[in-house]
Amino acid sequence: MPSLHTITPMTTRTVRFKQVDVFTTVPFKGNPLAVVFDADDLSTESMQAIARWTNLSETTFLLRPTDPAADYRVRIFTTSRELPFAGHPTLGTAHALLESGYAPKHTGRLVQQCGVGLVPIVAREEGAWAFAAPPARIRSLNDAQQQQLAAAFGSDVIDFTAPPCAVDNGVPWLVTRVNSAANCLALKPNRDAMTALMAASGTLGLAVYGPYRDAAPATFELRALLFGEENTEDPVTGSANAALACLLTTQNRRPGPSFTVRQGTAIGRDGRISIAYDDTTGQAQTWIGGHTVTIVDGSIRL
């Protein structure tokens, strides 16, 4: 008779897990995010494996802060890499934490510790929250790169009165203005040409935006297009909108003290982002805000 071997199950533990929809008040119209709680003992490899498994644009992991000024620490992963900062994960993680019962150190204000440092997040009207846009490095494209960009677009829609720039606030975007929101929505750039330009300009993706005119649903329509291995369109993107807000200030193209952006229209979403400039203090600040709704609330086995 063959011997029987007892199989000892691998030790596991269960922690809280949420999947939320960011930059929307309507479920399934924003940008989804997975949030894993109590992740302090997870290795980088484990976090990356979980992010690959959720198969969302980003998954975040909540940890105890190492900076006493912070309420919490977060690590942010795509399916293939870790990011030092991203916008919709910032708002989505804050929402998940607050909904779990966490009481901020200061009422109406959170401080997130992440790869770019400390990021303040403040309460806004009607349950919205807004994060302070991190400092950004801005670099103009050279003439050859501008020509390459125009050729990749395949049409004369770029508004070069606002020169395209690489804007890096933790995620490097190539921010480009076109003549109208309709031009933005209709854009179908050559992917091979854009992949080459992304590599040459040191950017992750294209943040293309165009203004609305009469009876506008927002001030701008924005699309965040990724090329190369990812080859997709991001539904609603906090870091891209933060990059846009920063570039508008640098180029003296602010549409006012505040404005709104719609994103995701081209792929059936309806993301809404509010951007506000605060120049009343000695240190000017730009706030990127929106709502978040919870879709899944449960646990995950680690």
Side-chain angles (χ1 to χ4, degrees):
M1 181 175 181
S3 61
L4 299 177
H5 299 278
T6 301
I7 299 175
T8 303
M10 182 175 60
T11 302
T12 63
R13 68 183 180 95
T14 299
V15 299
R16 193 161 189 178
F17 173 87
K18 286 179 182 281
Q19 192 162 313
V20 300
D21 209 11
V22 187
F23 290 120
T24 184
T25 58
V26 181
F28 316 117
K29 288 294 186 179
N31 198 353
L33 172 76
V35 183
V36 178
F37 288 67
D38 301 321
D40 294 272
D41 63 349
L42 287 178
S43 67
T44 297
E45 292 74 19
S46 295
M47 292 183 189
Q48 186 64 77
I50 293 168
R52 193 176 298 115
W53 175 80
T54 67
N55 203 32
L56 297 177
S57 59
E58 280 99 7
T59 298
T60 62
F61 298 85
L62 274 163
L63 307 100
R64 291 185 294 270
T66 58
D67 189 315
D71 286 86
Y72 62 97
R73 183 162 65 97
V74 68
R75 293 181 69 179
I76 305 167
F77 287 79
T78 72
T79 56
S80 60
R81 73 189 80 180
E82 183 173 7
L83 299 176
F85 169 78
H88 101 273
T90 294
L91 289 186
T93 303
H95 168 87
L97 180 64
L98 290 166
E99 192 178 63
S100 74
Y102 176 77
K105 292 181 177 180
H106 302 282
T107 303
R109 178 182 174 88
L110 290 166
V111 177
Q112 172 182 284
Q113 181 183 358
C114 58
V116 296
L118 300 181
V119 178
I121 310 167
V122 296
R124 293 304 198 201
E125 298 78 14
E126 300 177 349
W129 285 72
F131 66 84
R137 299 185 299 275
I138 299 175
R139 177 172 44 82
S140 299
L141 298 187
N142 59 39
D143 290 343
Q145 289 171 337
Q146 290 194 30
Q147 293 173 11
Q148 190 177 357
L149 179 63
F153 277 23
S155 59
D156 188 20
V157 297
I158 299 175
D159 180 359
F160 282 106
T161 66
C165 289
V167 183
D168 189 346
N169 54 18
V171 180
W173 292 99
L174 176 52
V175 183
T176 303
R177 183 181 180 117
V178 293
N179 293 319
S180 69
N183 290 153
C184 179
L185 289 170
L187 186 66
K188 294 181 179 179
N190 181 285
R191 290 200 169 271
D192 290 340
M194 287 304 306
T195 299
L197 180 57
M198 296 293 99
S201 61
T203 51
L204 176 69
L206 172 70
V208 57
Y209 72 102
Y212 276 100
R213 307 300 181 190
D214 299 331
T219 311
F220 298 113
E221 182 76 32
L222 183 141
R223 296 173 67 190
L225 304 174
L226 305 173
F227 302 93
E229 290 183 5
E230 308 220 16
N231 196 23
T232 187
E233 179 164 350
D234 197 49
V236 203
T237 319
S239 61
N241 279 280
L244 167 61
C246 180
L247 184 60
L248 289 173
T249 295
T250 301
Q251 294 180 338
N252 294 316
R253 297 292 295 262
R254 288 186 185 180
S258 64
F259 65 94
T260 57
V261 177
R262 187 173 77 163
Q263 188 182 345
T265 312
I267 54 173
R269 307 292 177 90
D270 189 20
R272 301 300 175 105
I273 304 95
S274 61
I275 297 173
Y277 297 106
D278 182 3
D279 299 320
T280 59
T281 63
Q283 184 176 4
Q285 191 58 266
T286 303
W287 297 96
I288 314 299
H291 290 84
T292 302
V293 294
T294 300
I295 306 297
V296 176
D297 190 350
S299 60
I300 186 171
R301 181 176 295 173
L302 301 179

